[in-house]
Amino acid sequence: MSILKDIFTAIRGGASEAGEAIVDANAIRILEQEIREAENAIAKAKQSLTRLKGSEIKLKREINSLNTDYDDYEAKAIEALNAGQESLAEEVAERLEEIANERDEKTAEHKTLEGEVNAINKLVRSREKIIQKNKRDLEKVKTIKEVQKATTSISDNVAATSSSQHRVSKALDRVKAKQQNWRDNMEAGEWMETQEQGDDLDARLKQSGIGGSAGSKKSAILEKLKAKQKTG
Amino acid sequence: MSITLEELAFRLNDHITDEGTSFDALLLDNGVLEVVCSNNDEFPIHLALTETQLLAVTPLFSVNEVMPNEVDNLNKVLLQLAPAVPLSAFGLQDDTYILFGAMALATSFETIVHELEVQAENTIDVLDAIQSLLA
């Protein structure tokens, strides 16, 4: 069962149009209950795991010690054989058999324990999966609820324009006009800047005597007139 | 670290982006944060929180503002336009068309601001594109 399917069913049934909770409160309770149960199961599993781990460590230690004993007696049996003490070697062999039996028992027990630990770990992982899946589902429900809230809430300062004819087009026109106005102002600002820079440049050129000034033109014309007057 | 809507409102009201966008954030009674971006002061963005996300919803228009015979067409066009605005999605909440985006709660303030600015801009672009289908 997925929560999206529930949501789909609710929407098809027209539930959201009446502003009802889109997902049955019962479905949410079930999800939350499952999360709580899974969390409890994990807590219990972790307790058993600690206990099992303790037994496992103890067994491992016992097996190791039996292995050491075995090697020890095996060396002694060979020594006895080398010394020609056949009956002593036979006794040691009996002892070796006992140790081997005990070791095999403990090893089998250890294997069973390992199996139990794996099973518990698997259970923990499956419960974790339920928790994560349910939390994601609850998040979907919560998201829908919040989006609904965010969509329907409009403050007084924007509500004024709602429900008039061509509302969107008018609003769009106003926004675009504002943006154009802003761009025009920017351009005007840039234009002013270049103008000011230009004026400044002209002034500096004039100061340095570069570029024709009105005064010098006048004197040039006067020179020409005087020259004409002489020839005339 | 996650942000609260109160804190977000406080910081937004005091912030101007590199592009010159400023914000007017107002926490409504029901806990929704209304944000008006200066680059689009006609269509405010509504912010809400869940356990893991910051949701940004811009209500666009209602179904009855669409030309009566163009609703199916509009829905199709919106689906076709959706990939072009990957950070905001279209949605229908009851009978209100919305533009919405979601951010992780750990999103930095700078990223949130950028997303809001882009969503405000996307709103204008989307409405401009589909304007001919509206009544």
Side-chain angles (χ1 to χ4, degrees):
Chain A
M1 188 209 71
S2 92
I3 206 83
L4 273 186
K5 209 165 172 180
D6 278 0
I7 294 167
F8 172 80
T9 312
I11 291 173
R12 293 295 302 234
S16 69
E17 281 172 45
E20 292 163 25
I22 192 130
V23 173
D24 186 14
N26 207 28
I28 294 172
R29 261 198 299 280
I30 291 171
L31 287 175
E32 285 170 343
Q33 177 67 18
E34 277 181 357
I35 289 178
R36 268 195 303 276
E37 279 167 11
E39 276 169 351
N40 285 341
I42 287 176
K44 269 189 202 146
K46 282 189 174 157
Q47 274 176 4
S48 344
L49 214 54
T50 319
R51 197 166 34 79
L52 287 179
K53 200 72 196 169
S55 313
E56 199 212 325
I57 291 168
K58 186 165 159 261
L59 270 178
K60 191 88 198 162
R61 200 173 46 229
E62 284 170 358
I63 291 168
N64 282 342
S65 137
L66 287 170
N67 276 336
T68 318
D69 281 358
Y70 191 92
D71 292 346
D72 197 25
Y73 278 110
E74 199 178 48
K76 281 174 182 156
I78 290 168
E79 242 176 85
L81 281 176
N82 286 344
Q85 303 203 17
E86 188 91 10
S87 68
L88 201 58
E90 210 169 297
E91 267 181 63
V92 177
E94 270 169 36
R95 190 60 186 273
L96 279 173
E97 197 189 351
E98 278 169 27
I99 293 174
N101 284 343
E102 201 183 341
R103 189 184 57 186
D104 289 350
E105 261 172 46
K106 301 256 182 212
T107 308
E109 216 179 305
H110 186 255
K111 239 194 180 106
T112 315
L113 215 56
E114 249 183 3
E116 276 177 54
V117 169
N118 282 342
I120 290 179
N121 276 330
K122 221 164 149 182
L123 180 129
V124 169
R125 275 198 300 273
S126 77
R127 294 296 185 277
E128 292 278 12
K129 213 168 160 182
I130 290 177
I131 292 176
Q132 292 315 320
K133 162 87 172 116
N134 284 14
K135 281 193 172 163
R136 279 197 298 271
D137 275 354
L138 284 175
E139 180 68 18
K140 283 187 196 119
V141 175
K142 177 96 178 172
T143 302
I144 289 213
K145 207 178 114 201
E146 290 301 315
V147 167
Q148 191 171 31
K149 204 166 80 179
T151 304
T152 48
S153 54
I154 290 174
S155 73
D156 297 341
N157 48 351
V158 270
T161 51
S162 65
S163 80
S164 67
Q165 239 201 330
H166 307 307
R167 179 188 67 90
V168 174
S169 296
K170 283 178 194 162
L172 205 51
D173 287 346
R174 283 194 297 270
V175 171
K176 284 202 266 184
K178 251 176 236 167
Q179 287 198 336
Q180 189 56 50
N181 195 18
W182 183 77
R183 272 195 290 270
D184 288 348
N185 281 343
M186 273 254 294
E187 264 175 49
E190 276 166 21
W191 179 80
M192 277 298 281
E193 215 169 289
T194 49
Q195 278 310 102
E196 277 164 13
Q197 276 171 0
D199 280 356
D200 186 44
L201 185 64
D202 283 345
R204 276 185 289 129
L205 284 170
K206 200 169 169 183
Q207 226 170 28
S208 322
I210 299 167
S213 73
S216 64
K217 222 179 226 171
K218 196 169 75 184
S219 55
I221 290 170
L222 199 61
E223 286 303 310
K224 269 189 192 165
L225 284 176
K226 281 181 182 166
K228 264 192 185 171
Q229 189 190 32
K230 273 182 193 164
T231 55
Chain B
M1 200 207 73
S2 60
I3 204 159
T4 64
L5 289 181
E6 287 85 355
E7 190 193 339
L8 193 57
F10 185 74
R11 292 184 70 179
L12 279 173
N13 282 325
D14 204 30
H15 188 80
I16 294 177
T17 69
D18 292 342
E19 293 177 36
T21 306
S22 60
F23 303 89
D24 199 350
L26 178 69
L27 197 58
L28 307 181
D29 289 342
N30 63 354
V32 170
L33 183 64
E34 182 185 87
V35 180
V36 176
C37 304
S38 66
N39 62 343
N40 173 1
D41 56 1
E42 296 283 344
F43 299 90
I45 301 173
H46 293 167
L47 298 176
L49 291 179
T50 70
E51 310 296 321
T52 59
Q53 311 167 81
L54 173 63
L55 303 167
V57 177
T58 307
L60 299 175
F61 47 82
S62 91
V63 177
N64 55 35
E65 288 177 283
V66 183
M67 296 215 304
N69 297 324
E70 296 286 7
V71 176
D72 285 350
N73 200 11
L74 172 75
N75 291 341
K76 191 175 165 192
V77 167
L78 286 179
L79 281 177
Q80 287 165 332
L81 284 177
V85 280
L87 293 179
S88 337
F90 305 112
L92 190 58
Q93 172 60 53
D94 292 352
D95 40 19
T96 304
Y97 282 86
I98 60 173
L99 192 70
F100 75 98
M103 289 166 258
L105 282 189
T107 307
S108 72
F109 177 74
E110 285 68 26
T111 310
I112 293 174
V113 164
H114 178 68
E115 293 295 328
L116 293 176
E117 201 174 21
V118 171
Q119 181 154 331
E121 198 66 49
N122 280 346
T123 302
I124 302 173
D125 290 350
V126 167
L127 289 174
D128 197 31
I130 54 125
Q131 196 180 3
S132 62
L133 301 178
L134 298 179

